[in-house]
Amino acid sequence: MQVLKFGGSSVGTIDAISKVIAIVKARVQKTPTIVVVSAMSGITDQLILLVQTASQGNEGYKMIIQSLAEKHEDAVRALLPASQQSATLNIAQQLIQEIESHCEGLYLKNELSLQIQDQLMSYGEILSSKIIAAAFEAEGVDQVWLDSRAMIKTNSSYSSAVVDRALTNQTIQAYFTNPTNQHALYMAPGFIASNAAGHTTTLGRGGSDYTAAIYAAALTVSILEIWTDVSGMMTADPRIVPHAKAIPKISYHEAMELSHFGAKIIYPPTIQPVMQAHIPIWIKNTFEPEHPGTLIEIASPKDDHFIRGISSIQDICLLSLEGAGMVGIPGFTKRLFDALAKKQISIILITQSSSEHSISVGVSMQDTHLAKIAVDAEFEEEINSQLLEPLIIEKELAIIALVGEQMRNHPGVSGKMFTVLGANGINIRAIAQGSSEKNITAVIEAHDVHKAMNLLHEAFFESTHKQVNVFIAGVGNVGSKLIEQIKLQAANLQSTLRLQINIVGIANSKKHLINLKGIDLSNSNNLTDSNNTHSSHAHDWSDQLAEASSGTIQDYVAAILDHNLPNSIFVDVTANAAVADTYAQLLSKGISVVACNKIACSSPYAHYANLKSLAQNHHAAFLFETNVGAGLPIVSTLNDLIRSGDTIKKIEAVLSGTLNFVFNHYEGGKDGKTFARVVKQAQDEGYTEPDPRLDLGGTDVMRKILILAREAGHPLEMEDIMNESFLPASCFNGSVADFYNELEKQEPHFKQLYDAAATAGCKLKFIAKFESEANEKMNGMAIVKVGLQHIQPSSDFFHLYGKDNLVLFYTNRYPELPLVIKGAGAGADVTASGVFADIIRAARA
Ligand code: ADP
Ligand code: ASP
Ligand code: MG
């Protein structure tokens, strides 16, 4: 004898049922077979809704019956040849009529009992099993329909009846040993049973697995096969963790723990009867029958997987009993458990502090109200005399569990679990570890489940793979280049660093696009490429963004926080203050921030310091390499020097590509190239801020040297920087157009600056300088200044062309000859690559 169980999704469509028939047909010749089936998928839920609707006096129940009738009659028509349909259609219609007459009663009486609900739910399995039985007949496979209600005997706990195993075994064995009952194929409905009075009962949601196990154990078959819609028991629920993998072999105990903690693939009570009889369970995929699936048997395989799987249960609440009255007095725990048991509330998890000052239990959310009444009533006296607090309830929680029999031999599992969760800002409300050390469970906020499961899966099963979720704000020149670079480099990062960089969000100032699976970049438009038109790339990201929902940057950030994805990185490639204002919110949720935007780091010191400490406290990265010198490794080099114990004594730098360009091109007005024209040229070529005064006035350079000074450990403000501006005060008045007019008027001033330098054989360069040496006038504070200087040919700064930057670090280790960093300090491509490098750094942190 063999027992094969097919679940709801395996009998949910005509196509699926055909696959079931093919699988069984190939097997039935060799050994007598019991096939247990569930209701077609969704039908049990529909029946429950039907019962509720009818019993509330709502006529809408008739529509539900109609849809039930259609679904089953359609199945009959599709599965059976026309000539053989009528008998089965009659059966289906008769069953539907029975449902109808029950519902009429419910509708008129406006009352509902679990008994009648069980009665009605049973039709799901009866209908499916009768129809599939007819389909076998039509295929020439003889079968006999086996009424599970007559075989499986239970108590009267309707909706989750307890099976009388001894009586049930006797009944099943008596039936099968009777010579008149010998057949090749038995078709049995799962889920349903009956009590001593002969009333229909059900075995609890998902109970068809249990039905099959009961038949298998009673007949001591050699194996129980559970056919479902996934290729075995997996390392996690594949709907939550897309990278979950099938587990080839697992022990009964591990499978039991996983299912107890939410792995729906197998109904928890299923394992007990077959485990007692040493019958292995084989989980197989109806839709991929050649896949080996999962074998559940006695021993846990001796491999190096000390964590076999992870699972989760949503909709949990934590009940805590606290108070001095609990200490040292026996019996409290028992009274708590008894009070819950009397109300049939099952406890999923227990934790007790060793001081015995409190005990917490996790129960299903739907039991909260009942539990509160029951427990407060039980401890009324103690609560009144203030020995105990009234029961404390925390809602909207979830349980996550790590399961593996070998974990007891591997120290550090819980440490790793808590580190991974903590590093991603996931708060743990309670923890419990079974004394047999087969599981570690933690209670977390329901909102964090998806993130926690993916992180734990990554940590315990994918040591070779890390998925990073990137949210980009800003799609100007730099943002577009960045997306292009990530797209081109993605495969390489996956193979060399095992990093999967998913761009899940893209936003501009008006709209944002979020796709949790990763935005399709396949036809990504390079916005700076003028040959590329939108119409030729109908579905690239910029078109998707144009069609996306409108919203401010705050809306974007709210959505990011709400999605709560693991390993999230927010990338600010704007120059916008409102975007910079969101960093604190993000960092305090453990989301890393990579900023090209300089505003946050050059804002008041307290704000900058707060962002840095938020990042540290929430284990998030806060990186801004491109704040200074675009893609040049300036900030990271400075950080490396300091972290390795060096001290920055002095920094001298040309940090403005714009100013460098202007002074490289201005030759005292030669050939009519006035200073104003050179500035205009710089602006036209895209090297200046929209208002060039930010560059020419020195603000941009001040921000950059301030950031370097701060990173070197000096708590300075913008006001502490001396700016020896070369721009006459009159240039700061009015609009940008006014500014250009004024520049023209001031040409003699600029010519004089130029001539003075040229006469001395020097070039003009705008230099930023930081000196940490104690200075009496400054009360020991570091000196930071920016200004135009005459540069001698012997200086490092003399031969600095185009928009290059140059930074000289004088440190303890580089006292005389500085550490030099030189190269392009502006440009979309190099800036994007600096941002990209920060993203990779944040991802690997
Ligand atoms: P059936 O209808 O065959 O009884 P179920 O829906 O009850 O199927 O169970 C199969 C589903 O269980 C899978 O589709 C999957 O989404 C879910 N599931 C949850 N945890 C796991 C896990 N660890 N391994 C495999 N599937 C799981
Ligand atoms: N049809 C029942 C349910 O949906 C039993 C099962 O599918 O196993 O819960
Ligand atoms: Mg199931």
Side-chain angles (χ1 to χ4, degrees):
M1 185 69 72
Q2 56 186 354
V3 178
L4 281 69
K5 178 259 168 177
F6 293 89
S9 52
S10 299
V11 298
T13 61
I14 308 308
D15 189 39
I17 296 175
S18 311
K19 292 197 157 63
V20 170
I21 291 173
I23 292 165
V24 174
K25 234 177 139 178
R27 302 278 299 278
V28 81
Q29 280 96 358
K30 297 172 199 135
T31 324
T33 305
I34 301 175
V35 167
V36 175
V37 292
S38 295
M40 295 175 83
S41 57
I43 295 298
T44 309
D45 288 339
Q46 233 177 322
L47 287 165
I48 294 174
L49 182 68
L50 172 66
V51 173
Q52 286 167 350
T53 313
S55 64
Q56 283 160 4
N58 180 340
E59 286 227 9
Y61 81 86
K62 292 180 181 161
M63 300 273 287
I64 303 176
I65 295 184
Q66 189 167 348
S67 122
L68 284 168
E70 273 167 21
K71 175 143 188 181
H72 290 96
E73 287 167 19
D74 285 352
V76 175
R77 290 193 188 96
L79 287 165
L80 306 184
S83 58
Q84 295 175 32
Q85 286 170 7
S86 67
T88 312
L89 277 176
N90 278 345
I91 294 173
Q93 280 153 2
Q94 194 188 326
L95 290 167
I96 297 284
Q97 258 166 30
E98 286 176 28
I99 295 177
E100 242 167 4
S101 62
H102 282 301
C103 286
E104 266 164 34
L106 285 176
Y107 175 73
L108 292 174
K109 280 192 252 154
N110 266 12
E111 64 181 31
L112 170 64
S113 69
L114 287 177
Q115 180 180 343
I116 186 75
Q117 182 170 300
D118 270 10
Q119 171 80 47
L120 277 159
M121 278 202 286
S122 70
Y123 284 101
E125 268 68 9
I126 296 176
L127 277 160
S128 65
S129 58
K130 292 271 184 189
I131 292 170
I132 296 166
F136 274 118
E137 292 285 348
E139 286 284 321
V141 184
D142 277 346
Q143 57 77 43
V144 58
W145 189 76
L146 189 61
D147 190 345
S148 297
R149 289 168 297 189
M151 297 287 138
I152 299 176
K153 302 306 288 182
T154 69
N155 70 3
S156 299
S157 298
Y158 294 104
S159 87
S160 54
V162 178
V163 175
D164 179 338
R165 291 284 315 287
L167 179 58
T168 299
N169 280 349
Q170 260 177 27
T171 319
I172 295 174
Q173 285 157 5
Y175 174 87
F176 281 91
T177 43
N178 184 337
T180 60
N181 291 334
Q182 303 307 308
H183 302 278
L185 176 62
Y186 305 84
M187 271 303 304
F191 185 49
I192 61 177
S194 68
N195 64 9
H199 297 142
T200 300
T201 55
T202 62
L203 303 180
R205 294 304 307 272
S208 296
D209 296 335
Y210 190 27
T211 306
I214 290 166
Y215 283 121
L219 300 170
T220 39
V221 302
S222 58
I223 196 160
L224 164 64
E225 296 177 30
I226 305 277
W227 289 77
T228 182
D229 61 349
V230 284
S231 295
M233 193 146 198
M234 307 184 85
T235 46
D237 184 343
R239 284 169 305 184
I240 301 178
V241 180
H243 290 122
K245 298 183 280 259
I247 304 169
K249 284 185 177 183
I250 186 169
S251 73
Y252 290 122
H253 286 290
E254 289 169 329
M256 208 138 58
E257 296 281 335
L258 280 173
S259 69
H260 175 73
F261 287 110
K264 186 184 173 229
I265 177 103
I266 194 152
Y267 181 50
T270 308
I271 297 169
Q272 189 67 23
V274 280
M275 182 170 79
Q276 274 171 352
H278 292 212
I279 299 167
I281 306 175
W282 197 11
I283 304 202
K284 295 276 291 171
N285 187 349
T286 306
F287 306 93
E288 201 186 349
E290 60 291 345
H291 191 287
T294 300
L295 193 64
I296 307 177
E297 53 188 357
I298 297 175
S300 171
K302 295 276 172 286
D303 54 21
D304 45 358
H305 290 113
F306 51 94
I307 301 297
R308 192 70 58 201
I310 55 182
S311 55
S312 62
I313 315 180
Q314 286 279 13
D315 296 331
I316 291 293
C317 83
L318 199 63
L319 311 175
S320 302
L321 201 56
E322 280 182 25
M326 286 181 62
V327 180
I329 302 176
F332 270 99
T333 318
K334 180 176 182 314
R335 283 171 61 197
L336 171 66
F337 292 173
D338 284 350
L340 295 171
K342 263 189 231 145
K343 297 289 174 199
Q344 310 230 337
I345 296 173
S346 77
I347 297 173
I348 303 167
L349 162 146
I350 308 164
T351 72
Q352 181 164 29
S353 68
S354 53
S355 69
E356 290 188 43
H357 204 71
S358 74
I359 180 164
S360 302
V361 295
V363 304
S364 173
M365 195 93 132
Q366 70 204 27
D367 294 330
T368 320
H369 184 60
L370 204 55
K372 171 81 178 153
I373 295 171
V375 176
D376 282 351
E378 172 64 38
F379 293 101
E380 196 179 357
E381 236 171 72
E382 287 86 350
I383 293 170
N384 286 340
S385 49
Q386 299 188 340
L387 287 171
L388 284 183
E389 303 287 332
L391 190 70
I392 301 164
I393 293 174
E394 288 168 82
K395 294 185 182 170
E396 286 170 28
L397 299 174
I399 292 176
I400 48 173
L402 283 182
V403 171
E405 280 194 47
Q406 303 301 327
M407 80 166 76
R408 72 187 126 213
N409 305 324
H410 288 265
V413 174
S414 47
K416 184 167 172 183
M417 176 178 187
F418 302 144
T419 308
V420 166
L421 298 180
N424 274 271
I426 296 171
N427 194 21
I428 298 174
R429 267 299 300 116
I431 41 177
Q433 178 162 31
S435 53
S436 58
E437 287 192 48
K438 287 191 200 84
N439 73 63
I440 302 173
T441 47
V443 178
I444 61 172
E445 282 176 28
H447 179 61
D448 285 328
V449 167
H450 181 269
K451 180 165 154 183
M453 291 290 283
N454 279 281
L455 285 166
L456 292 174
H457 197 268
E458 202 170 84
F460 287 98
F461 296 100
E462 305 166 42
S463 49
T464 54
H465 178 96
K466 182 171 183 183
Q467 183 180 319
V468 185
N469 296 302
V470 173
F471 293 90
I472 294 176
V475 288
N477 285 343
V478 178
S480 310
K481 284 278 182 208
L482 174 67
I483 294 170
E484 200 60 29
Q485 289 179 4
I486 294 178
K487 179 188 131 193
L488 291 175
Q489 191 59 8
N492 205 349
L493 286 178
Q494 205 149 10
S495 63
T496 54
L497 299 183
R498 307 276 177 207
L499 267 188
Q500 185 188 334
I501 304 224
N502 258 5
I503 299 185
V504 285
I506 299 180
N508 59 24
S509 56
K510 297 188 193 71
K511 284 169 173 271
H512 60 258
L513 168 70
I514 293 183
N515 181 341
L516 302 186
K517 293 202 175 98
I519 293 167
D520 182 10
L521 306 174
S522 50
N523 279 327
S524 175
N525 229 341
N526 181 348
L527 289 188
T528 55
D529 177 354
S530 54
N531 297 327
N532 233 343
T533 61
H534 280 236
S535 55
S536 65
H537 292 296
H539 292 294
D540 72 5
W541 62 260
S542 54
D543 287 343
Q544 292 175 55
L545 179 61
E547 286 159 17
S549 57
S550 298
T552 61
I553 185 70
Q554 258 309 331
D555 298 329
Y556 184 43
V557 169
I560 294 171
L561 296 176
D562 196 42
H563 285 303
N564 200 16
L565 295 184
N567 304 325
S568 296
I569 303 176
F570 179 81
V571 181
D572 177 3
V573 272
T574 73
N576 186 294
V579 182
D581 280 345
T582 66
Y583 299 172
Q585 253 176 304
L586 293 157
L587 290 169
S588 53
K589 288 287 174 202
I591 297 175
S592 292
V593 172
V594 168
C596 164
N597 187 347
K598 297 187 239 341
I599 293 177
C601 287
S602 55
S603 64
Y605 183 79
H607 181 62
Y608 154 88
N610 179 45
L611 294 178
K612 293 215 101 176
S613 75
L614 280 177
Q616 198 165 27
N617 294 342
H618 294 91
H619 309 279
F622 176 38
L623 299 172
F624 38 85
E625 178 60 87
T626 50
N627 276 197
V628 183
L632 295 178
I634 298 174
V635 177
S636 54
T637 303
L638 190 155
N639 289 155
D640 285 346
L641 289 172
I642 301 221
R643 284 180 196 140
S644 63
D646 206 349
T647 307
I648 310 293
K649 300 277 191 201
K650 186 165 81 172
I651 303 172
E652 280 181 320
V654 162
L655 294 173
S656 168
T658 318
L659 287 173
N660 207 32
F661 178 92
V662 169
F663 288 108
N664 278 337
H665 286 77
Y666 180 61
E667 292 172 282
K670 202 169 128 200
D671 302 331
K673 266 170 81 180
T674 60
F675 192 76
R677 286 198 186 164
V678 175
V679 173
K680 187 76 181 65
Q681 185 190 348
Q683 177 156 34
D684 291 344
E685 292 188 22
Y687 301 140
T688 72
E689 298 283 331
D691 183 342
R693 283 172 289 196
L694 270 182
D695 300 301
L696 294 183
T699 307
D700 185 61
V701 175
M702 284 165 74
R703 284 177 174 169
K704 289 171 177 167
I705 192 73
L706 177 71
I707 293 168
L708 293 183
R710 286 177 171 180
E711 289 291 293
H714 298 267
L716 297 168
E717 302 288 356
M718 278 293 266
E719 300 79 59
D720 298 325
I721 302 176
M722 283 179 271
N723 180 1
E724 295 157 354
S725 178
F726 63 88
L727 211 54
S730 56
C731 294
F732 288 98
N733 302 330
S735 66
V736 173
D738 298 335
F739 156 73
Y740 274 112
N741 287 335
E742 188 59 26
L743 273 194
E744 283 291 4
K745 283 194 208 141
Q746 296 287 345
E747 179 60 19
H749 165 71
F750 298 112
K751 179 165 171 38
Q752 194 204 334
L753 289 175
Y754 177 83
D755 289 345
T759 324
C762 294
K763 283 189 184 173
L764 285 171
K765 297 282 170 191
F766 197 80
I767 306 285
K769 190 165 175 182
F770 157 87
E771 258 182 301
S772 75
E773 297 294 275
N775 175 295
E776 275 166 27
K777 276 190 235 143
M778 299 282 295
N779 288 335
M781 265 175 74
I783 299 176
V784 191
K785 58 182 174 190
V786 301
L788 205 58
Q789 288 185 16
H790 286 189
I791 301 297
Q792 306 278 353
S794 59
S795 161
D796 288 308
F797 292 111
F798 194 87
H799 298 286
L800 194 59
Y801 303 104
K803 51 193 180 336
D804 274 8
N805 280 192
L806 175 64
V807 181
L808 311 178
F809 285 119
Y810 293 87
T811 74
N812 272 350
R813 293 179 192 147
Y814 296 88
E816 308 293 338
L817 291 175
L819 187 159
V820 180
I821 300 171
K822 182 179 175 186
D829 238 339
V830 289
T831 309
S833 75
V835 173
F836 194 1
D838 270 352
I839 293 175
I840 295 169
R841 245 174 247 135
R844 303 184 79 196

